[in-house]
Amino acid sequence: MEIVRKNSLEEINGTIPVPAGKGGFFRKLFAFSGPGALVAVGYMDPGNWITSIQGGALYSYLLLSVILISSLIAMLLQVMCAKLGIVTGMDLAQATKALVGKRTAAALWVTTELAIIATEIAEVIGSAIALNLLFKIPLLLGVMITVLDVFLLLALMKFDIRKIEALVFTLIATIFIIFAYEVALANPDLAQIAHAFIPQREILTAHVAGGDSAFFIALGIVGATVMPHNLYLHSSIVQSRQYDRSDERAVKEAIRYATIDSNVQLGFSFIINCLLLILGAALFFGKNPDDIGRFAQLYDALQDHSMVGAIASATLATLFAVALLASGQNATITGTLTGQIVMEGFINFRLPLWQRRLITRLIAILPVVACIYLWGDKGDVVEKLLVYTQVFLSIALPISMIPLLYLTSSRKRMGKFVNCKPFMVLGWLATAVLVVLNLQLIIETVRMLFG
């Protein structure tokens, strides 16, 4: 196996001290906590929002089981990522390149960059819509304004990774509180919600006239929940903690706390995605599919007493728009870090973070601008593009999952920390199911276009 001498994200690698010796559980957990928050951001970006809201609007609580299963798969994969980074000292891109060679690594880099751009498109659309809702800025101008978030990145680069982690966690907590409050006021049916966490056959067959099929939205939820770029991100940022990497006990402890951190933070993102679907179901289910499930409609509904009753208020609607803007800006940080990780890991090329951010954002706005130019300043068309980006992420996911599962299931590479058999079985089963579902989606799409 090729030896990679360059550290992943060298500027932050091994920079965060952790308590030595026994210490206290919570003291050590606090020191290791943070990477999970950066990863969790990718599981609650605008792409998650639109797929969850539309899923609830069209199919009530039916797709809650998809969010649950996707979140459990995400937790499993992110633990594997953390373990890979801690044990091997390489991120997933570096380890994959060492496995497949330079030419294949270059092809994988292109695919991963497309997935990052798809995620970036979702952030552009979410931020532009939030600016439109808050300040009545036209969508096209809002898209252009999102390019300026490179200055946000420049400001954040002055802080160390620990402060950035704290900022991201604060924004996550803000989003969680806003939606927990709004869903509580909407008074959803708790019995139906509990039942919906059991998978139903209707997920594969249900199709509301005028709307996307439940299966199509379910794949969008999978793509929005299990984010391909997060696998690369987590395997790198867990290496920011400073511990004795030659000490087996220290490595085992690092894996333990990284696992807790990851699962707790992804638990938050799971609840937020469920809240979004429940809110969409409570406000829109049973109404005309042409008039439901969009950000602007949800914003208006939160102010409309005829739809929401006594809870409707401009404050609730404004909180929703602020949370949407926060989710888009949250992903600004992690998307840029991930782009740098895959570029360095796959093709050994590096750009200043602000340049990387600017180039990616400029590429991402092109399809959004084209969409607005061709179909006008209509939120429904733009948000449809957002849903399609999430389906693309679902199709791209196995390309990241398969190397991760192979590497972490290799005793040669992982030693005593190789995946246990249940992890191997669950991981490969999830990958196989996802590949089959993606093939079915591609066949259905081709039939729809040419049939």
Side-chain angles (χ1 to χ4, degrees):
M1 180 171 146
E2 177 185 343
I3 298 174
V4 178
R5 299 184 183 280
K6 189 175 180 64
N7 288 331
S8 180
L9 286 183
E10 200 161 21
E11 63 272 23
I12 66 169
N13 195 294
T15 59
I16 309 299
V18 297
K22 292 184 177 180
F25 171 80
F26 290 104
R27 186 176 168 218
K28 286 197 172 185
L29 179 60
F30 178 76
F32 278 97
S33 294
L38 294 180
V39 169
V41 165
Y43 293 86
M44 57 185 83
D45 71 349
N48 295 82
W49 287 43
I50 195 64
T51 52
S52 295
I53 291 171
Q54 290 196 358
L58 292 172
Y59 300 102
S60 189
Y61 307 129
L62 176 67
L63 299 179
L64 280 174
S65 60
V66 177
I67 296 178
L68 174 61
I69 294 171
S70 299
S71 298
L72 291 175
I73 293 173
M75 290 179 180
L76 175 66
L77 294 177
Q78 295 300 163
V79 168
M80 290 183 186
C81 288
K83 191 163 62 170
L84 176 70
I86 291 169
V87 173
T88 67
M90 293 187 286
D91 60 56
L92 178 58
Q94 292 173 327
T96 302
K97 181 181 179 180
L99 178 68
V100 301
K102 291 183 179 180
R103 290 186 179 180
T104 305
L108 292 175
W109 171 68
V110 172
T111 305
T112 307
E113 288 286 5
L114 290 174
I116 292 173
I117 290 170
T119 304
E120 190 83 2
I121 291 171
E123 294 160 15
V124 167
I125 294 173
S127 298
I129 291 174
L131 291 171
N132 175 260
L133 297 176
L134 289 169
F135 308 110
K136 308 305 178 188
I137 296 173
L139 278 183
L140 184 58
L141 179 57
V143 168
M144 298 303 179
I145 290 174
T146 64
V147 177
L148 299 179
D149 73 5
V150 68
F151 294 108
L152 171 64
L153 182 67
L154 285 171
L156 290 172
M157 286 168 60
K158 297 178 181 179
F159 300 103
D160 62 40
I161 189 68
R162 195 65 169 151
K163 290 184 175 65
I164 293 175
E165 290 169 351
L167 172 63
V168 168
F169 178 77
T170 301
L171 291 173
I172 291 173
T174 301
I175 295 169
F176 171 77
I177 292 168
I178 288 172
F179 283 110
Y181 176 62
E182 291 183 347
V183 168
L185 292 176
N187 194 27
D189 189 323
L190 297 180
Q192 286 188 28
I193 289 172
H195 181 262
F197 284 113
I198 302 172
Q200 308 293 319
R201 183 168 183 163
E202 288 80 1
I203 294 171
L204 299 176
T205 59
H207 193 168
V208 174
D212 293 318
S213 68
F215 175 69
F216 182 85
I217 295 179
L219 272 184
I221 289 174
V222 172
T225 304
V226 190
M227 305 290 281
H229 70 276
N230 266 346
L231 304 182
Y232 298 97
L233 176 67
H234 203 181
S235 61
S236 176
I237 57 177
V238 290
Q239 298 180 52
S240 61
R241 270 44 189 181
Q242 194 179 86
Y243 54 89
D244 186 355
R245 302 184 184 192
S246 63
D247 185 344
E248 186 178 306
R249 288 187 179 182
V251 170
K252 185 176 181 180
E253 183 178 71
I255 293 172
R256 177 193 179 197
Y257 287 110
T259 300
I260 296 172
D261 173 47
S262 175
N263 288 340
V264 169
Q265 300 291 352
L266 291 183
F268 270 107
S269 66
F270 161 70
I271 295 172
I272 289 172
N273 287 325
C274 288
L275 293 174
L276 285 163
L277 187 143
I278 292 167
L279 193 60
L283 297 182
F284 297 120
F285 180 64
K287 297 180 172 60
N288 185 347
D290 293 331
D291 301 324
I292 61 178
R294 295 197 292 111
F295 289 135
Q297 291 163 335
L298 185 52
Y299 178 82
D300 292 338
L302 290 170
Q303 301 180 82
D304 187 350
H305 291 275
S306 67
M307 292 189 69
V308 191
I311 72 166
S313 73
T315 301
L316 280 180
T318 300
L319 286 174
F320 166 78
V322 169
L324 177 59
L325 185 61
S327 73
Q329 295 311 303
N330 246 345
T332 293
I333 305 165
T334 57
T336 305
L337 289 175
T338 306
Q340 193 63 53
I341 291 165
V342 299
M343 184 181 285
E344 288 188 28
F346 278 131
I347 63 173
N348 197 29
F349 184 73
R350 181 179 179 85
L351 285 172
L353 287 178
W354 70 269
Q355 288 184 16
R356 164 80 208 187
R357 180 64 186 169
L358 184 60
I359 292 170
T360 306
R361 178 51 58 95
L362 288 174
I363 294 173
I365 69 172
L366 291 177
V368 185
V369 170
C371 186
I372 294 173
Y373 177 78
L374 293 172
W375 288 282
D377 202 2
K378 297 179 181 178
D380 56 339
V381 176
V382 175
E383 290 182 24
K384 183 70 73 174
L385 174 63
L386 200 160
V387 174
Y388 289 144
T389 64
Q390 305 310 298
V391 174
F392 173 78
L393 290 174
S394 178
I395 295 172
L397 181 59
I399 296 173
S400 305
M401 287 176 65
I402 291 171
L404 173 65
L405 286 164
Y406 179 83
L407 288 164
T408 54
S409 299
S410 168
R411 187 170 294 278
K412 175 183 175 182
R413 294 168 175 82
M414 301 296 292
K416 294 182 179 180
F417 301 102
V418 66
N419 289 335
C420 61
K421 286 188 177 180
F423 270 35
M424 291 185 197
V425 172
L426 289 173
W428 287 114
L429 179 62
T431 303
V433 169
L434 190 59
V435 169
V436 171
L437 292 177
N438 284 334
L439 289 174
Q440 185 175 343
L441 176 66
I442 293 170
I443 292 170
E444 287 187 5
T445 303
V446 171
R447 285 176 179 172
M448 182 178 66
L449 292 173
F450 303 104

